[in-house]
Amino acid sequence: MNRRKSESSERCLDLQHTSPQGATTLEQDFDTDSSLHSRSLVNEHALVRFLGERVQQEPAFKKQLLGYIERSKTDMKWRTAAANAITILVRAGVQFIESDLRGIQIPGADVSYGVFDSVQLQDADLRSVDLRGVWLRQTDLSRAQMEGARFGELPFLEHDIEVRSCVYSPDGGSLAVSLDNGVIHVYSTSNWERTMIWHSHGLAALCVAYSPKSDQIACANQDGTVRLWNLKSGDCVHTLIGHGNWVHGVVYSPQGGRITSASDDWTVRIWDVVTGECLRTLIGHTEGVLSVVYSPNGSRIASGSADCTVRLWDVEEGICRCVFYGHSNRVWEVAYSPQGDQIASASDDCTIRLWDVETGSCRHVLTGRSDPFFSVSYSPSGNHVASGSRDNCLRLWDVETGKCLHSMAGHCDSIVSVVFSPDGRQVASGSFDTKVRLWDILDGASNFTSSGLSPDTCGIDCSPKGGLIASGSRDCVIRLWCVDTGAYRRTLLGHTSSVFCVAFSPQGDLLVSGSADQSARLWEVESGTCLHVFNAHDGWVNFVAYHPQGHQVASASDDNIIRLWDVVTGDCQRTLEGHTDGVLSLVYSLDGNQIASGSMDGTVRVWDTEAGLCCWILEGHNNWARDIKYSPLGDQLASASYDYRIRIWDVQTGECRLIMIGHSDNVACISYSPQGDLLASGGWDKTVRLWNTSTGHCQAVIRNFQDIIPGIAWNTASGANYLIAGCMDGPILKWHVLQEGEMCTLQPQWCITNGTLTVTGTSMQGARGLTDSNKQLLKQRGVINEPEYLIQEASETLRR
């Protein structure tokens, strides 16, 4: 590797001490005066990255670092070295699966975004450890020391309906949240107790704003009004009437004497706060106005509109000074920088634009995952902007460079409102998932992020020969991963909406995908080139499959039709019609002469691919037939349904042989093991189950996932069977499946995470030093075995 090394890197090049056979000899060879032992390197980010690369290249160095961690269990003088070591190992992508880390001492380490699955961490010293975005599923943290541990977020605020907006008071003492049912909640930021609630008129409260003195709140409403509420008395002091349609945005002037509102009636109105009189109407937009903001000195107003423009208005003269063109779709929100020299705009065209106020030119175009941006906010310093998007992620951007610094996952629906706290330490994000999440930006923003994160997973497939896993995602992207290590390989770009399904060719050199953009695409795996776009369906393409001989692919769609495509020409060879509702899944028989399909109409149909005729209609499910699979011998057909059941059908007679009952919610996916003796299933109950295909008995259950399991696949290597499952919220996991008589044991191999704090099934009984806020956060995220008195204490302190 040819790179320039820093002075710190040069000083650490002599830290590896191994015997001729490569075994680490810590007691004899370790220099206790070396940098790894004598000082913390956690915040020397360039050096940690360099040493992380060295771990990937030199197995002996990795072994040495693991030795430091092991020695810290019994000797506290190794704490600094152990903290450095685990920080470097996590940054190198080393995962800790079923590891015995009991009693390790790593105070001050940065293990953000690390993977610790089913790990023993009892009695560990984790004081001041950065745990942002860490994967701690089924880990035992009993009696661990956790004073100062940083999780990067606070407990979320949960409501019973979609959040429309959230905003901090200028004095930082409270946070107001408006909901889709017109209710406004106000929380104290000192303890996050709810201090006030207003029930208005049942229509959506689309936006809220504080007065500069934090003594009044304005609410923009779906009924075309703006209401002003006194925070001390709770009374509505004015109802501003004049708009002829929904009011999307409202803001106080910096001096507090005026309020400006933006409406679907194409106008911006300026009101007198004391009298409630409309002082001026700004006309110029050619479609609804969705957002409005004052400049810091109050002399200008910026507005964003569904007409794809941002307009800059002179407050006193009421004229438009400038129109910013560049967006190709509606502008949902505009924000002024604290210095007043820049405007940010968030748009449905999947970009955020940073505009120069003086010249009207666009300084930067910020792009995420091909999803619309709904919200944008400047930090108090003006150095950063935060954004919320339809992809459920909060992003933090550098204003000077336009680069994305951090992407924070956790919401499970669109983020429609983001706002910095006045001191810049926190960001609040409001979502259609009914939650407001509170992110600790100053303490929780690790300097390390991972490129190998899985944002969400809709479907997966394992290459038969190429050593790859493909995953489809709601962000329009197909990702390829190494099946042996879980390492990220590359992306395939081209779809314009969610990718629901992927399937490798028999040789593994090609991949077909289906999407909500109503197309299927054929890809060359090695180059990432799109060879064909199959456009003929009039609905979402829910499933795709490859013919066993590789010359044909099939696609199933919401338009009730199955189409068969020629791989070479890209032509549609045949359509199979008969289902009375959307087709959700399909599979070729082993010889390719038949296709089985499952549908929203609850039936399974078996088709003759040559004649295009339906041979069988298998009835028995009383809800959607979501997934279909032939057994490896071809004598069975399995179907998974939203009736919570799996049925095994005899291919020759069409009779139902077995019904597998165990899932407590919709069954989303199934897959036969290579030998056909096991069937794996994933469901909405957030479990993976392994079934004996002869008896129908469940032989293993994997729990403690945070979301639906929409994709499952098998992989065989060196005679061993491996199971791979993808979760709707992103993570992809691999297990080694060991059969022991009537039961199965699953040994975790690796995990691709989504960068979200995951503590599902984690035990923290007797953990010491956690704040009340952290206790409540961990309880919300699924921690178990917390002493009851601690739960009660945290709930009383942080009650809503």
Side-chain angles (χ1 to χ4, degrees), residues 411-667:
H411 284 292
C412 54
D413 207 335
S414 300
I415 299 175
V416 294
S417 181
V418 295
V419 60
F420 278 90
S421 61
D423 61 7
R425 295 177 63 93
Q426 294 174 355
V427 171
S429 57
S431 168
F432 284 161
D433 66 5
T434 75
K435 297 179 179 64
V436 174
R437 290 189 179 270
L438 307 166
W439 309 90
D440 195 334
I441 297 299
L442 184 62
D443 292 332
S446 167
N447 286 277
F448 301 108
T449 57
S450 172
S451 60
L453 297 179
S454 177
D456 54 67
T457 303
C458 296
I460 63 172
D461 193 30
C462 188
S463 170
K465 297 181 180 181
L468 293 173
I469 298 167
S471 63
S473 173
R474 286 177 291 182
D475 65 2
C476 318
V477 175
I478 300 165
R479 290 172 174 82
L480 301 180
W481 316 85
C482 175
V483 72
D484 292 328
T485 65
Y488 167 79
R489 287 292 179 253
R490 68 184 70 91
T491 57
L492 307 178
L493 304 175
H495 282 294
T496 59
S497 191
S498 299
V499 181
F500 293 139
C501 50
V502 288
F504 280 99
S505 65
Q507 298 301 317
D509 57 335
L510 300 176
L511 182 80
V512 63
S513 57
S515 168
D517 63 12
Q518 304 187 10
S519 77
R521 287 177 177 255
L522 185 66
W523 309 85
E524 186 177 69
V525 172
E526 184 63 30
S527 66
T529 303
C530 181
L531 303 177
H532 292 297
V533 179
F534 304 127
N535 279 318
H537 285 294
D538 292 324
W540 291 359
V541 177
N542 295 314
F543 213 90
V544 290
Y546 239 103
H547 192 285
Q549 276 74 54
H551 66 282
Q552 187 183 78
V553 295
S555 58
S557 171
D558 268 353
D559 63 9
N560 308 355
I561 296 173
I562 298 166
R563 292 181 179 272
L564 309 184
W565 308 87
D566 187 285
V567 169
V568 177
T569 66
D571 296 333
C572 182
Q573 299 175 314
R574 190 177 299 281
T575 60
L576 308 179
E577 300 184 48
H579 281 295
T580 59
D581 209 336
V583 188
L584 297 173
S585 59
L586 54 85
V587 62
Y588 280 93
S589 61
L590 269 63
D591 58 13
N593 294 330
Q594 291 183 335
I595 282 179
S597 58
S599 167
M600 294 180 190
D601 63 16
T603 68
V604 175
R605 290 178 180 250
V606 181
W607 309 80
D608 184 302
T609 56
E610 186 62 31
L613 300 176
C614 180
C615 308
W616 293 95
I617 300 178
L618 309 180
E619 296 180 308
H621 289 300
N622 57 26
N623 208 323
W624 294 3
R626 185 63 184 87
D627 199 8
I628 306 289
K629 290 293 185 296
Y630 274 101
S631 66
L633 295 178
D635 59 332
Q636 291 181 356
L637 183 67
S639 58
S641 172
Y642 279 10
D643 64 7
Y644 304 4
R645 287 165 169 75
I646 301 165
R647 288 178 177 262
I648 305 294
W649 309 85
D650 187 291
V651 169
Q652 295 299 320
T653 66
E655 295 180 356
C656 180
R657 290 183 179 177
L658 287 173
I659 300 176
M660 299 172 176
I661 300 174
H663 282 288
S664 59
D665 207 330
N666 303 330
V667 187

